[in-house]
Amino acid sequence: MAVWCARLSVDRWRLSLAPEGTDRKACGPGEGADGEPTVLIIETAHGPRIHAVNRAGHDAGARTGMMLADARTVCPSLMTAPADPAGDLACLEKLAVWAQRWGPWSTLDPPDGVLVDVTAAAHLFGGEARLLADVETAFAGRGFAVRTGLAPTAGAAWALAHYGPARSILLESENMTRTLADLPVAALRLDDDVLTVLRRLGLKRLGELADITTGAVNRSEEAARDALHRRFRNRRSPSANPLIRLDQLLGRVPEPLLPIVPKQMPLVQRRLMEPLRHRSLLDRVLADLAEDMARELEGRGEGARRLELGLWRVDGEVIVRQLELAAATRDAGHITRLFEEKLDNIDAGFGIETVRLRASWAEPLAAAQGDVEAAAERHGTSLAACIDRLSVRLGPDAVRRPVPHASHLPERAQSWSPPLEMAPPVQIGPVGERPLKLLDRPEPIAVLYASPDGSPQRFRWRGQVHEVMRVEGPERIAPEWWRVRSTVRLRDYYRIEDSTGARYWIYRHGIVGDGRGGMPDWFLQGLSA
């Protein structure tokens, strides 16, 4: 396997993500606005800290990781802008996908690197040297300065790209240990505290570390190797163990990498010949887009859970309306009706020239038999469609649905959450049969029984006496010990059937002689079919 690593210029590409107000076109490679010393800062508990520095700021004495107050003591004219780590990572992900033009898969190397597998692909570009030249040319065309390296392993490619000569190439036929011997130990991608330990041990080059770990020539080298193994034997993270990193670099142990797999979300749009200013025309375009989206989703075997409608006005302003659905759907009519509720306050300005509909969240949805005629009259509105309409009109928090809740007590076995939220999975242990309907709160009943701890024979509920014909139970349920005190009484539940065939779910609250109160009380909590 051959891998090339491209290290993007931190100065250039981070500062290209500066906020609005910075003249990005005036920023050359490694320069801030107008070529002045510029840094990106992040807020910390001790004050602003420098996150990235351009070339002019580096020459003035500012360094990454330095406090802004300390940097301004050496460069009072230092310009600042807030850093955007999330935006940097999103940009790096797009570059990793774009870099798959040189190989079958790529992966991220945050914060400023990309790894690409180019196995059996170099000949398509005329060899390894021409491949790296094409990489640098393509990145330069997009405004990025890069350092590249190509090697049989990802660790070796990273080391060459960061600390080797420009366009370094290490072939599989070459001796990897001898070629990389002069690189610093920082080329192993280790944590700062580990690098400090290695420097204190006198290990500054990869060759020195490789000689100690691979074989001993005399007693002093053998003792140094044993000491190194003992010092790092409990460190499992590769970045904290130089022995693991060296084995990965030399290909002795595999290094798992997570490739970037681009997923294209369904998107349809209309570029209009004339700008739209009237609502009726916009509704017609929306209906056409919903039909296109339904066909797109049907071809993928999916249904939309989240839809985003973008409206581009002539004056450059973009209006976005988002819609979340209770269940996956590709019903064009349903999508159109829901978006109509969100377009009442749209200001078209001088006109809308582009309309785009995108499904940012889609789930598998199997094909179903379509109704031939009069579906609405026969079946009415589905539950998911009803929830969607109520959520759009009343707000997402106005509609609630019951979800399972892990609790021993029946009245606590469910909670309420918005229908558009994904309910977390609940692990519920095996329980007995539960009634079809639970009362809002248990109602007291008067019970006649043969013995205080025996089965009920007759009970009175809401002024009516019921003769017990069949009894099943008891099922003992104890309250959660972490919620209530240990003095709370236990419950013994019975499923009973009276002389009329009606079935009830009752329980005895407490046990005779449990020391937690007087005689037990009886309650009715549920009704069965």
Side-chain angles (χ1 to χ4, degrees):
M1 181 182 73
V3 178
W4 68 259
C5 174
R7 184 199 179 205
L8 309 179
S9 171
V10 180
D11 304 340
R12 172 64 180 89
W13 93 281
R14 282 193 182 279
L15 294 184
S16 68
L17 299 176
E20 295 183 3
T22 302
D23 187 3
R24 300 183 182 182
K25 294 184 179 179
C27 300
E31 298 180 355
D34 300 329
E36 298 182 7
T38 308
V39 298
L40 299 182
I41 60 173
I42 55 175
E43 294 293 335
T44 66
H46 303 286
R49 185 181 296 273
I50 296 179
H51 188 63
V53 187
N54 70 343
R55 188 173 304 165
H58 188 276
D59 295 340
R63 297 291 184 271
T64 301
M66 182 185 295
M67 301 301 296
L68 180 60
D70 298 335
R72 278 186 165 157
T73 60
V74 297
C75 182
S77 61
L78 196 64
M79 298 179 61
T80 63
D84 183 15
D88 292 352
L89 183 60
C91 180
L92 189 62
E93 289 178 351
K94 294 179 181 179
L95 287 176
V97 175
W98 174 74
Q100 292 179 2
R101 58 190 295 178
W102 292 288
W105 65 265
S106 61
T107 186
L108 301 180
D109 178 40
D112 57 1
V114 175
L115 291 165
V116 181
D117 179 15
V118 293
T119 304
H123 70 281
L124 301 176
F125 301 88
E128 288 80 0
R130 290 190 177 183
L131 185 147
L132 295 185
D134 184 68
V135 169
E136 296 188 2
T137 301
F139 273 99
R142 302 193 64 169
F144 295 96
V146 296
R147 286 177 54 86
T148 58
L150 191 146
T153 64
W158 191 96
L160 292 175
H162 286 73
Y163 297 97
R167 299 184 186 179
S168 300
I169 299 176
L170 177 60
L171 302 178
E172 295 186 5
S173 58
E174 301 181 32
N175 189 315
M176 190 177 301
T177 304
R178 184 182 303 112
T179 304
L180 304 176
D182 294 333
L183 297 183
V185 291
L188 290 178
R189 298 170 291 168
L190 297 171
D191 297 334
D192 293 338
D193 59 334
V194 180
L195 295 176
T196 301
V197 172
L198 294 178
R199 294 190 186 99
R200 290 176 180 174
L201 295 175
L203 302 174
K204 300 180 180 180
R205 300 291 173 184
L206 290 182
E208 300 171 355
L209 184 62
D211 292 340
I212 291 178
T213 57
T214 55
V217 178
N218 50 47
R219 289 183 177 273
S220 61
E221 290 187 359
E222 184 176 359
R225 180 183 61 184
D226 293 340
L228 197 63
H229 277 282
R230 289 196 303 271
R231 182 179 292 270
F232 297 102
R233 67 177 182 272
N234 294 327
R235 300 203 178 189
R236 304 301 181 186
S237 174
S239 61
N241 193 322
L243 307 178
I244 297 178
R245 280 300 194 197
L246 183 62
D247 289 340
Q248 290 178 346
L249 181 142
L250 299 177
R252 296 170 184 166
V253 297
E255 179 179 357
L257 298 173
L258 184 63
I260 291 291
V261 180
K263 182 178 180 180
Q264 302 295 333
M265 301 307 297
L267 183 146
V268 293
Q269 71 175 12
R270 287 287 190 276
R271 296 184 180 273
L272 308 173
M273 297 181 60
E274 295 291 339
L276 297 180
R277 297 187 61 187
H278 301 287
R279 174 63 187 273
S280 59
L281 299 177
L282 180 59
D283 291 341
R284 186 182 306 173
V285 173
L286 175 60
D288 294 340
L289 288 177
E291 292 286 350
D292 295 344
M293 177 61 68
R295 286 191 291 269
E296 180 74 16
L297 291 171
E298 185 178 5
R300 300 162 62 103
E302 295 178 337
R305 284 294 305 274
R306 183 186 297 116
L307 292 165
E308 297 175 359
L309 180 67
L311 309 174
W312 275 257
R313 296 194 335 187
V314 175
D315 57 3
E317 183 177 350
V318 181
I319 304 172
V320 179
R321 294 292 184 268
Q322 183 172 295
L323 182 68
E324 290 196 9
L325 307 174
T329 183
R330 49 175 178 260
D331 184 354
H334 181 53
I335 295 173
T336 303
R337 286 190 298 270
L338 294 178
F339 268 116
E340 287 176 352
E341 300 285 345
K342 294 181 173 290
L343 299 181
D344 292 335
N345 59 347
I346 292 294
D347 181 12
F350 294 102
I352 298 173
E353 60 181 358
T354 303
V355 184
R356 175 183 298 174
L357 182 61
R358 184 171 74 99
S360 57
W361 177 14
E363 293 180 348
L365 181 63
Q369 176 67 41
D371 291 336
V372 179
E373 57 183 348
E377 288 77 6
R378 292 203 312 267
H379 303 298
T381 304
S382 65
L383 177 60
C386 179
I387 294 175
D388 292 335
R389 293 184 185 181
L390 293 176
S391 300
V392 170
R393 294 183 180 181
L394 305 178
D397 296 330
V399 183
R400 300 279 177 169
R401 66 170 176 175
V403 295
H405 181 70
S407 177
H408 299 163
L409 300 181
E411 61 267 21
R412 294 179 180 173
Q414 71 177 21
S415 60
W416 295 88
S417 67
L420 302 182
E421 294 183 0
M422 294 294 293
V426 178
Q427 297 293 336
I428 301 177
V431 295
E433 183 181 352
R434 291 294 178 259
L436 182 64
K437 178 182 179 180
L438 286 179
L439 302 181
D440 292 337
R441 57 180 56 87
E443 298 184 8
I445 58 176
V447 175
L448 176 65
Y449 42 81
S451 61
D453 57 352
S455 302
Q457 297 180 349
R458 182 185 300 117
F459 70 93
R460 180 187 297 273
W461 176 53
R462 294 181 179 178
Q464 184 177 359
V465 178
H466 300 263
E467 293 289 342
V468 178
M469 305 302 295
R470 295 180 179 86
V471 180
E472 183 179 355
E475 175 191 355
R476 179 159 295 177
I477 296 180
E480 293 88 349
W481 59 265
W482 59 91
R483 286 184 175 177
V484 297
R485 298 179 180 178
S486 59
T487 57
V488 175
R489 311 192 78 173
L490 306 180
R491 298 182 184 181
D492 284 342
Y493 279 84
Y494 294 87
R495 290 186 297 273
I496 63 176
E497 181 179 339
D498 65 4
S499 57
T500 63
R503 295 192 292 174
Y504 304 90
W505 201 42
I506 66 175
Y507 69 87
R508 180 178 57 232
H509 190 222
I511 304 174
V512 177
D514 58 4
R516 301 178 182 180
M519 293 297 294
D521 296 321
W522 288 83
F523 296 88
L524 188 147
Q525 191 169 11
L527 305 175
S528 299

